[in-house]
Amino acid sequence: MRLIFVHGWSVTNTDTYGQLPEALQAASSDYDLQLDLHHIHLGKYVSFHDEVTLDDIARGLHKALHDLPGNADQIQPFSCITHSTGGPVVRYWLNRFYGPENLSATPLRHLVMLAPANHGSSLAILGKQRVGRIQAWFNGVEPGQRVLDWLCLGSEGQRRLNESGLHYDYAAYNVYPFVLSGQGIDRKFYDFINNYLTEPGSDGVVRVSGANMNYRFFSVCQSDEVVRKKPYTTRLVYDEKHPVRTSPSVALRVYNQYSHSGTTMGIMRSINKEKGAAQPVVADILKCLQVESYSAYQQRAAELAALTAEAQAKARQDKTCERYAMLVFRVQDDQGNSFSKDDYDILLLGGKSYQPKGMPKSFLQDRQMNAKTSNLVFYIDVDRFHEIKDGLFGIRVIARPQQGFSYYQCAEFRSDGVSLTDIVAPNQTTYVDITLKRCVDKNVFRFARGDEKRGSFKGVKADGGEINS
């Protein structure tokens, strides 16, 4: 078996892989796998320069694969283990060079992602200088700006890659993806100024919901149906045939004992080659690499799901960690215009009256807005969220301006007819796309008769009624 490793961002030394390659090789024969260090290739890519993009790295990966022995004419089948943002690198490569339409041609067989930042990291918002000082992630090396932009929660790059991922049928083409991620916190990395390093439901860098490749998209559009007269508010409606689009099922395991980095708890760096498969993540990787059929993949996924449920139940019992989810809101209008951070507000609503006071206490753990896209990301305690009053959930959007020649009316989604569990699931990210109606007053353009006296129209007011076209 040819096995390649792909590290995370801003790594400058292959010692980042620690003893994991040797541990896998030493224990492989016990799992009827043939792993030889001569057939293990350790990726090393440049990501700490501002000009480098994810697309550049994916192109570099494709060339590096062709340059491996025996791959000049065609890349031979291989399996891949990634850490951190190495996961999105390989996913981007897969999407760029093969995509869901040509998945049958890919040489990739197994993709085992350790703590992948598939939906970004909450730390990225801190900026490259401060992030570079975080030992748990970049270990003193400043990340490149274009790469960091991709990593920020709510980035457009994440959204595009994950929306494309909705159309994959991995198992049908013998491609087997796995996500193995921790929710342990290594206290030695604690930063008293930055609470994200000890954020519950994360490994100190990547949230479980930010790693998981099981996710969903939910889209609503503003209609003319009035649901509230004061303030005047119309309904946000969804496609009743396809209210929620879900990704193909991908195997996931969550560990309580692993954090993102470090030699004590790190999901990759803490591995000791002498202990081999006695270490849970080593045994799990080897079992993942054994999978060679759809039925075997389903069985492995079920085993990992059971272990995840057990681990998270224990964490909840011990009151060390709950289960969380992310909501990523993107607000646009029906003319394709986006909104800046000061141009809209989102309120979550609960109960039969659909008011903010109907939401459970302390359900919202974090709120973060992407500076470039103005997408808003909520991090929520799922089990508290599901305690919502009357089991009814809503979203209110207040966009600006609310008067003038071009304006927006308040809009509101109400969940009657859609289950809460369809929209928000434990350990997952939901992308919520909201399209508002841009209202234009007809007085924005009028004609004057040619035989009328010429005069100024500077004082025209926006009171002529709404354009419907």
Side-chain angles (χ1 to χ4, degrees):
M1 173 182 288
R2 174 171 280 183
L3 185 63
I4 72 167
F5 284 73
V6 179
H7 57 71
W9 259 299
S10 287
V11 168
T12 59
N13 197 306
T14 53
D15 65 4
T16 188
Y17 299 111
Q19 298 180 13
L20 179 58
E22 289 82 1
L24 291 171
Q25 188 273 329
S28 62
S29 60
D30 294 335
Y31 292 80
D32 295 323
L33 295 170
Q34 293 183 344
L35 286 180
D36 189 313
L37 287 179
H38 292 293
H39 297 136
I40 293 177
H41 303 275
L42 306 181
K44 48 180 184 178
Y45 62 89
V46 174
S47 62
F48 37 86
H49 287 264
D50 286 342
E51 70 274 16
V52 176
T53 67
L54 193 66
D55 187 74
D56 297 332
I57 298 168
R59 292 172 62 189
L61 170 60
H62 198 62
K63 171 61 175 169
L65 286 169
H66 272 291
D67 288 343
L68 288 176
N71 284 357
D73 297 326
Q74 183 178 4
I75 301 172
Q76 298 303 305
F78 70 94
S79 296
C80 183
I81 297 172
T82 69
H83 179 242
S84 191
T85 39
V89 164
V90 177
R91 288 183 60 215
Y92 191 104
W93 164 82
L94 183 65
N95 197 59
R96 190 188 196 284
F97 290 96
Y98 301 95
E101 305 85 3
N102 197 32
L103 200 58
S104 61
T106 182
L108 180 64
R109 289 294 166 257
H110 306 88
L111 176 57
V112 183
M113 291 170 279
L114 308 180
N118 286 317
H119 308 279
S121 168
S122 55
L123 288 171
I125 197 174
L126 300 176
K128 58 181 289 184
Q129 289 185 341
R130 190 166 171 201
V131 165
R133 292 195 295 269
I134 295 174
Q135 297 296 310
W137 197 5
F138 289 109
N139 199 28
V141 179
E142 284 190 11
Q145 187 61 55
R146 301 286 292 276
V147 166
L148 196 63
D149 289 344
W150 196 99
L151 278 171
C152 284
L153 297 180
S155 78
E156 188 58 27
Q158 293 164 27
R159 187 188 180 283
R160 285 198 299 266
L161 181 60
N162 288 311
E163 188 168 28
S164 179
L166 294 173
H167 308 291
Y168 278 73
D169 187 357
Y170 296 103
Y173 297 104
N174 300 315
V175 178
Y176 305 111
F178 301 87
V179 172
L180 309 178
S181 199
Q183 59 179 17
I185 299 295
D186 190 341
R187 296 287 167 178
K188 78 175 184 179
F189 290 123
Y190 184 68
D191 181 339
F192 288 94
I193 301 175
N194 172 29
N195 289 330
Y196 284 130
L197 288 172
T198 56
E199 185 176 54
S202 81
D203 61 5
V205 173
V206 175
R207 295 165 175 170
V208 171
S209 55
N212 194 358
M213 275 183 62
N214 299 290
Y215 53 89
R216 49 200 66 202
F217 275 72
F218 180 60
S219 301
V220 290
C221 298
Q222 190 171 15
S223 70
D224 294 324
E225 180 188 352
V226 179
V227 294
R228 202 182 299 275
K229 292 185 178 180
K230 289 185 179 181
Y232 188 84
T233 305
T234 59
R235 186 184 294 273
L236 289 167
V237 298
Y238 57 88
D239 183 346
E240 293 187 0
K241 291 184 178 179
H242 306 285
V244 180
R245 295 181 293 161
T246 57
S247 62
S249 181
V250 171
L252 167 74
R253 181 174 181 185
V254 178
Y255 307 86
N256 291 332
Q257 68 269 43
Y258 291 123
S259 65
H260 195 79
S261 302
T263 56
T264 304
M265 294 178 61
I267 196 166
M268 184 166 69
R269 287 299 299 273
S270 70
I271 299 306
N272 187 315
K273 64 182 179 182
E274 304 299 334
K275 295 180 180 178
Q279 299 159 111
V281 75
V282 174
D284 282 336
I285 291 172
L286 291 168
K287 290 177 183 177
C288 292
L289 295 177
Q290 285 181 314
V291 171
E292 293 293 345
S293 69
Y294 178 56
S295 60
Y297 182 75
Q298 286 184 307
Q299 180 180 345
R300 186 75 193 117
E303 293 168 354
L304 294 176
L307 290 167
T308 294
E310 180 183 344
Q312 293 194 314
K314 186 178 188 309
R316 296 181 70 199
Q317 182 180 0
D318 295 342
K319 297 183 178 180
T320 57
C321 190
E322 299 296 330
R323 300 185 303 171
Y324 301 89
M326 288 199 296
L327 294 171
V328 181
F329 293 97
R330 184 180 72 160
V331 183
Q332 295 182 317
D333 69 24
D334 56 359
Q335 304 304 308
N337 299 305
S338 57
F339 293 82
S340 69
K341 64 182 180 65
D342 297 320
D343 287 342
Y344 77 96
D345 295 311
I346 286 181
L347 299 174
L348 300 187
L349 316 172
K352 294 178 180 178
S353 62
Y354 288 99
Q355 294 291 350
K357 64 182 180 182
M359 295 300 294
K361 292 182 179 180
S362 304
F363 81 94
L364 183 61
Q365 299 296 304
D366 184 61
R367 181 182 184 275
Q368 194 178 114
M369 179 169 279
N370 187 292
K372 290 188 176 294
T373 66
S374 295
N375 292 341
L376 184 60
V377 182
F378 285 0
Y379 187 51
I380 62 174
D381 182 322
V382 172
D383 296 293
R384 287 189 181 180
F385 178 83
H386 286 165
E387 294 171 359
I388 197 168
K389 190 175 180 181
D390 303 318
L392 297 174
F393 163 64
I395 304 169
R396 183 179 300 158
V397 185
I398 305 167
R400 291 174 284 275
Q402 294 185 301
Q403 58 185 359
F405 288 99
S406 303
Y407 61 95
Y408 300 95
Q409 295 168 342
C410 294
E412 203 166 285
F413 163 73
R414 297 183 172 186
S415 68
D416 44 313
V418 178
S419 170
L420 280 177
T421 55
D422 286 340
I423 301 173
V424 180
N427 306 320
Q428 293 195 21
T429 292
T430 301
Y431 291 86
V432 183
D433 289 340
I434 299 173
T435 302
L436 300 180
K437 181 180 179 182
R438 184 174 177 86
C439 303
V440 179
D441 189 277
K442 75 174 186 180
N443 277 351
V444 77
F445 197 118
R446 294 280 88 190
F447 287 105
R449 282 171 43 189
D451 58 356
E452 290 182 352
K453 182 181 179 180
R454 309 296 169 88
S456 171
F457 54 89
K458 187 176 181 180
V460 68
K461 296 185 182 300
D463 58 1
E466 183 185 338
I467 296 174
N468 293 319
S469 60

